[in-house]
Amino acid sequence: MALESGERGMILCLRFQLGETHEAALPELVALAENISPVVQALPPDALLVDVRGAVRYFGLDAAGLGSVLRVRALAHFGIGCSIGVAANPMLARMAARAAAPGTTLVVGDAAEFLAGRPVIALDGVGPSTARTLCSYGLDTIGKAAAAPLAALQRILGARAGRELHERAQGIDRTPVTPDAVSRSLAAERRFDRDELDRDRQRRALLSLAEELGVRLRGEDQVCRSLTLTVRYADRTTTTRTRTLREPTAHSAALIEAAYRIHESLGLQRARVRALALRAEDLIPAERAAHQLTFDEADERARTIEAVADRARAKFGPGAVKPGTLAA
């Protein structure tokens, strides 16, 4: 793929090695990257994209050099390492970061050479089902898909999907890096003193996490449109589930209910849980969110009490008011 002058390798993708004590660090890492470039997009749970086209001249470094600066700062400030991909567009940068060894930087020069021998499932937008279909036609690598006629791909996958695959296989990605607000997502986490099997203790931790996120969201006049729960187990594996909320909210009761539903859906009866992390995502200003009016007096009373509790926390500190379950 021919790259326009000035656009070669100007997108960074940083994938951080977020251990169990750093699961909520992504917003802080976004802020760190914004000291280099204002064009930063979070890729929860552990990565971000940085468009450095406006920063290379200011700092007198190329994109890989700026990536090294960010790696050193992440290690110095948070003790977090990362792998870095450098490419001309977000898709290639993400793929390079996935392919880079921890603590190293992989720069994509020739997109066709970088993509050619990789399995077709490594391409963005190609899932297991699509990959099986392509492999049944002998298109098991990205290079073979790139060499296939557009019409053939459209017959196999359909007009739109075939066209998108044809462009991606050529290394073309037209999506920009979309700058996030510093608090595009908010996260909180709890690590248990020992591997926890007790469902009630896990729910108590979820209650604490959702309450914390609710207070922080309301303090910043923001609401979230989705909630993500990450469960880390004793063997260091994780499960992540996201649920879209019925309406954008910062209401603690709604966040708690959603967190409980996600937790129940995982069926963790015998799982040894080491840590839980809850992340409020797709944040928007509260003034832009519509709230469905109801005649539920209990809901209105809960929101009134919540507002009073927030004022008490602002005056006396975050621990001044907490749910009775957590006061025990």
Side-chain angles (χ1 to χ4, degrees):
M1 181 184 75
L3 302 176
E4 296 180 9
S5 176
E7 293 191 356
R8 187 183 300 271
M10 291 297 182
I11 307 297
L12 304 179
C13 180
L14 294 89
R15 294 185 62 86
F16 297 98
Q17 284 84 58
L18 298 183
E20 57 195 31
T21 60
H22 296 111
E23 291 175 355
L26 193 59
E28 287 80 6
L29 292 166
V30 170
L32 185 73
E34 286 175 334
N35 291 324
I36 296 291
S37 169
V39 189
V40 181
Q41 178 179 349
L43 302 176
D46 61 357
L48 55 85
L49 290 170
V50 188
D51 187 332
V52 296
R53 280 177 292 184
V56 290
R57 181 176 298 178
Y58 180 83
F59 287 94
L61 297 170
D62 61 11
L66 291 174
S68 297
V69 171
L70 286 171
R71 175 185 289 118
V72 170
R73 291 184 179 181
L75 282 169
H77 288 276
F78 303 105
I80 298 173
C82 66
S83 55
I84 301 175
V86 182
N89 60 54
M91 180 193 74
L92 292 172
R94 288 193 298 269
M95 294 180 68
R98 289 195 292 267
T104 66
T105 298
L106 177 58
V107 179
V108 177
D110 187 305
E113 181 181 345
F114 172 74
L115 293 171
R118 299 182 184 277
V120 71
I121 198 171
L123 200 61
D124 280 11
V126 177
S129 177
T130 301
R132 284 194 296 270
T133 300
L134 292 169
C135 289
S136 71
Y137 286 88
L139 304 175
D140 56 342
T141 67
I142 298 175
K144 292 178 181 178
L150 172 59
L153 294 176
Q154 290 181 316
R155 283 196 298 272
I156 295 171
L157 301 177
R160 179 178 177 180
R163 183 175 64 255
E164 291 176 351
L165 175 66
H166 184 261
E167 288 191 350
R168 289 172 181 161
Q170 305 290 332
I172 300 171
D173 177 20
R174 305 183 192 280
T175 60
V177 178
T178 305
D180 293 320
V182 173
S183 296
R184 178 68 185 271
S185 68
L186 291 177
E189 61 184 320
R190 297 290 183 273
R191 184 182 181 185
F192 296 109
D193 295 332
R194 56 184 175 79
D195 297 336
E196 189 58 72
L197 288 87
D198 188 275
R199 174 179 172 274
D200 290 336
R201 289 195 179 96
Q202 294 175 22
R203 284 172 63 89
R204 192 169 184 265
L206 284 175
L207 171 62
S208 173
L209 290 168
E211 181 73 19
E212 178 183 334
L213 289 181
V215 171
R216 291 169 62 188
L217 285 168
R218 295 190 298 275
E220 298 184 11
D221 292 323
Q222 297 194 88
V223 294
C224 69
R225 289 181 285 199
S226 61
L227 201 63
T228 295
L229 172 65
T230 299
V231 181
R232 184 176 295 276
Y233 305 105
D235 62 358
R236 298 182 180 274
T237 61
T238 61
T239 299
T240 300
R241 292 288 185 275
T242 299
R243 184 178 292 259
T244 300
L245 304 175
R246 287 192 292 268
E247 64 179 24
T249 187
H251 185 32
S252 291
L255 298 175
I256 293 166
E257 179 187 358
Y260 283 171
R261 288 202 307 270
I262 300 173
H263 184 255
E264 288 292 334
S265 71
L266 295 177
L268 303 177
Q269 289 84 352
R270 296 181 180 275
R272 301 175 66 85
V273 176
R274 179 162 297 178
L276 296 171
L278 198 63
R279 188 169 60 252
E281 298 183 316
D282 295 329
L283 306 192
I284 60 173
E287 62 186 20
R288 289 172 46 195
H291 170 54
Q292 180 66 46
L293 296 177
T294 71
F295 295 101
D296 185 351
E297 293 184 0
D299 179 70
E300 293 303 317
R301 187 163 52 248
R303 290 176 184 271
T304 300
I305 293 172
E306 188 173 73
V308 173
D310 287 344
R311 289 195 293 271
R313 293 187 185 98
K315 184 174 182 179
F316 300 107
V321 182
K322 61 178 64 177
T325 303
L326 300 178

